[in-house]
Coordinates of all heavy atoms in Angstrom, one line a residue:
Chain I
Q29 N -0.3 -2.6 -17.4 CA 0.0 -1.6 -16.5 C -1.3 -0.8 -16.1 O -1.4 -0.2 -15.1 CB 1.1 -0.7 -17.1 CG 1.5 0.5 -16.3 CD 1.9 0.1 -14.8 OE1 2.4 -0.9 -14.5 NE2 1.7 1.1 -13.9
L33 N -2.8 0.3 -12.5 CA -3.3 1.5 -12.0 C -4.7 1.4 -11.5 O -5.0 2.0 -10.5 CB -3.3 2.5 -13.2 CG -1.9 3.0 -13.8 CD1 -2.1 4.0 -14.8 CD2 -1.0 3.4 -12.7
E35 N -6.1 -1.1 -10.1 CA -6.0 -1.8 -8.8 C -5.6 -0.9 -7.7 O -5.8 -1.1 -6.5 CB -5.1 -3.0 -8.9 CG -5.9 -4.1 -9.7 CD -5.0 -5.3 -10.0 OE1 -3.9 -5.4 -9.6 OE2 -5.5 -6.2 -10.7
L36 N -4.9 0.2 -8.1 CA -4.4 1.2 -7.0 C -5.4 2.2 -6.7 O -5.4 2.8 -5.6 CB -3.1 1.9 -7.5 CG -1.8 1.0 -7.6 CD1 -0.8 1.9 -8.1 CD2 -1.5 0.5 -6.2
D38 N -8.8 3.5 -5.1 CA -9.7 3.1 -4.0 C -10.3 4.4 -3.4 O -10.2 5.4 -4.1 CB -8.9 2.4 -3.0 CG -7.7 3.2 -2.4 OD1 -7.6 4.4 -2.6 OD2 -6.7 2.6 -1.8
N41 N -8.0 7.3 -3.0 CA -7.5 7.8 -4.3 C -8.6 7.5 -5.4 O -8.3 6.7 -6.3 CB -6.2 7.3 -4.7 CG -5.1 7.7 -3.8 OD1 -4.6 8.9 -3.8 ND2 -4.7 6.7 -3.0
F44 N -7.7 8.0 -9.2 CA -6.3 7.9 -9.5 C -6.0 7.7 -10.9 O -5.0 8.2 -11.4 CB -5.8 6.7 -8.6 CG -4.3 6.4 -8.8 CD1 -3.4 7.2 -8.4 CD2 -3.9 5.2 -9.3 CE1 -2.0 7.1 -8.5 CE2 -2.6 4.9 -9.5 CZ -1.6 5.8 -9.1
E47 N -6.3 10.7 -12.9 CA -5.3 11.7 -12.4 C -3.9 11.3 -13.1 O -3.2 12.2 -13.7 CB -5.1 11.5 -10.9 CG -4.2 12.5 -10.3 CD -3.9 12.0 -8.7 OE1 -4.8 11.5 -8.1 OE2 -2.7 12.2 -8.4
L51 N -1.8 13.5 -15.9 CA -0.4 13.8 -15.6 C 0.5 13.4 -16.7 O 1.3 14.2 -17.2 CB 0.0 13.1 -14.4 CG 1.2 13.5 -13.5 CD1 1.3 15.0 -13.2 CD2 1.3 12.8 -12.3
F52 N 0.2 12.3 -17.3 CA 1.0 11.7 -18.4 C 0.8 12.8 -19.6 O 1.8 13.2 -20.3 CB 0.5 10.4 -18.9 CG 1.0 10.0 -20.3 CD1 2.3 9.8 -20.5 CD2 0.1 9.9 -21.3 CE1 2.8 9.4 -21.8 CE2 0.5 9.5 -22.5 CZ 1.9 9.3 -22.8
D55 N 2.6 16.1 -18.9 CA 4.0 16.0 -18.8 C 4.7 15.7 -20.1 O 5.7 16.2 -20.5 CB 4.4 14.9 -17.8 CG 5.9 15.0 -17.4 OD1 6.3 16.1 -16.9 OD2 6.6 14.0 -17.6
H82 N 13.3 7.9 -25.0 CA 13.4 7.1 -23.8 C 12.5 7.6 -22.7 O 11.9 6.8 -22.0 CB 14.9 7.0 -23.4 CG 15.1 6.4 -22.0 ND1 14.9 5.1 -21.7 CD2 15.5 7.0 -20.8 CE1 15.1 4.9 -20.5 NE2 15.5 6.0 -19.8
S87 N 7.3 7.2 -19.7 CA 6.0 7.7 -19.2 C 4.8 7.0 -19.8 O 3.9 6.7 -19.2 CB 5.8 9.2 -19.7 OG 6.8 10.0 -19.0
S90 N 4.2 3.9 -18.1 CA 3.7 4.0 -16.8 C 2.1 4.0 -16.7 O 1.5 3.6 -15.7 CB 4.1 5.3 -16.2 OG 5.5 5.3 -16.0
R104 N 13.1 4.4 -31.5 CA 14.4 4.4 -30.9 C 15.4 3.5 -31.7 O 16.6 3.6 -31.9 CB 14.4 3.9 -29.4 CG 13.7 4.8 -28.5 CD 13.8 4.4 -27.2 NE 15.2 4.6 -26.7 CZ 15.7 4.1 -25.6 NH1 14.9 3.3 -24.8 NH2 17.0 4.3 -25.2
Chain V
D39 N 10.6 11.7 -12.4 CA 9.3 11.5 -13.3 C 8.1 11.7 -12.3 O 8.0 10.9 -11.5 CB 9.4 10.2 -13.9 CG 8.2 9.9 -14.8 OD1 7.1 10.7 -14.7 OD2 8.2 9.1 -15.6
P40 N 7.4 12.8 -12.5 CA 6.2 13.0 -11.6 C 5.2 12.0 -11.7 O 4.4 11.6 -10.7 CB 5.6 14.3 -12.1 CG 6.1 14.5 -13.4 CD 7.5 13.8 -13.5
I41 N 5.1 11.2 -12.8 CA 4.1 10.1 -12.9 C 4.5 8.9 -12.0 O 3.7 8.4 -11.4 CB 4.0 9.7 -14.4 CG1 3.5 10.8 -15.4 CG2 3.0 8.5 -14.5 CD1 3.6 10.6 -16.7
I42 N 5.8 8.6 -12.2 CA 6.4 7.5 -11.4 C 6.2 7.8 -9.8 O 5.9 7.1 -9.0 CB 7.8 7.1 -11.7 CG1 7.8 6.6 -13.1 CG2 8.5 6.3 -10.8 CD1 7.1 5.2 -13.2
R44 N 4.1 9.7 -8.4 CA 2.7 9.5 -8.0 C 2.2 8.2 -7.8 O 1.7 7.7 -6.8 CB 1.8 10.3 -8.9 CG 0.4 10.3 -8.6 CD 0.1 11.3 -7.5 NE -1.4 11.1 -7.1 CZ -1.8 10.8 -5.9 NH1 -0.9 10.6 -4.9 NH2 -3.2 10.7 -5.6
I45 N 2.7 7.3 -8.8 CA 2.3 5.9 -8.9 C 3.0 5.1 -7.6 O 2.3 4.4 -6.9 CB 2.7 5.2 -10.2 CG1 1.8 5.7 -11.3 CG2 2.5 3.7 -10.1 CD1 2.3 5.2 -12.7
V48 N 1.5 6.1 -4.2 CA 0.2 5.5 -3.9 C 0.4 4.0 -3.7 O -0.3 3.4 -2.7 CB -0.9 5.7 -5.1 CG1 -2.1 4.8 -5.0 CG2 -1.3 7.2 -5.1
L49 N 1.2 3.4 -4.5 CA 1.4 2.0 -4.3 C 2.1 1.6 -2.9 O 1.5 0.7 -2.2 CB 2.4 1.5 -5.4 CG 3.0 0.1 -5.5 CD1 1.9 -0.9 -5.3 CD2 3.8 -0.2 -6.6
K52 N -0.5 2.2 -0.1 CA -1.5 1.2 -0.2 C -1.0 -0.1 0.6 O -1.8 -0.8 1.2 CB -1.9 0.9 -1.6 CG -3.3 0.3 -1.6 CD -3.6 0.2 -3.2 CE -4.9 -0.6 -3.4 NZ -6.2 0.1 -3.1
E84 N 18.2 7.6 -14.0 CA 18.5 8.8 -14.7 C 17.8 10.0 -14.1 O 16.5 10.0 -14.2 CB 18.2 8.7 -16.2 CG 19.1 7.7 -16.9 CD 18.6 7.3 -18.3 OE1 17.4 6.9 -18.4 OE2 19.3 7.5 -19.2
A111 N 13.7 2.7 -16.3 CA 13.0 2.2 -17.6 C 14.0 1.6 -18.5 O 13.5 0.9 -19.4 CB 12.4 3.5 -18.2
R112 N 15.2 1.6 -18.2 CA 16.2 0.8 -19.0 C 16.2 -0.7 -18.7 O 16.1 -1.0 -17.6 CB 17.6 1.3 -18.7 CG 17.9 2.8 -18.9 CD 18.9 3.0 -20.0 NE 19.0 4.4 -20.3 CZ 18.9 5.0 -21.6 NH1 18.7 4.2 -22.6 NH2 18.9 6.2 -21.7
P133 N 7.2 1.1 -13.9 CA 6.9 1.2 -12.5 C 6.8 -0.2 -11.8 O 6.6 -1.2 -12.4 CB 5.5 1.8 -12.5 CG 4.9 1.4 -13.8 CD 6.1 1.3 -14.8
T135 N 5.4 -3.1 -9.4 CA 4.0 -3.8 -9.2 C 3.8 -4.0 -7.7 O 4.8 -4.0 -6.9 CB 3.9 -5.1 -9.9 OG1 4.9 -6.0 -9.4 CG2 4.3 -5.0 -11.4
T136 N 2.6 -4.3 -7.4 CA 2.3 -4.7 -6.0 C 3.0 -5.8 -5.5 O 3.5 -5.9 -4.3 CB 0.7 -4.8 -5.9 OG1 0.0 -3.7 -6.5 CG2 0.3 -4.9 -4.5

Side-chain angles (χ1 to χ4, degrees):
Chain I
Q29 176 56 28
L33 296 183
E35 286 174 1
L36 289 177
D38 57 17
N41 297 284
F44 179 65
E47 184 195 325
L51 195 51
F52 164 68
D55 194 59
H82 166 70
S87 294
S90 298
R104 296 188 70 198
Chain V
D39 183 342
I41 301 166
I42 291 295
R44 182 74 184 125
I45 292 173
V48 168
L49 173 54
K52 205 171 167 79
E84 290 167 304
R112 300 244 174 230
T135 62
T136 309

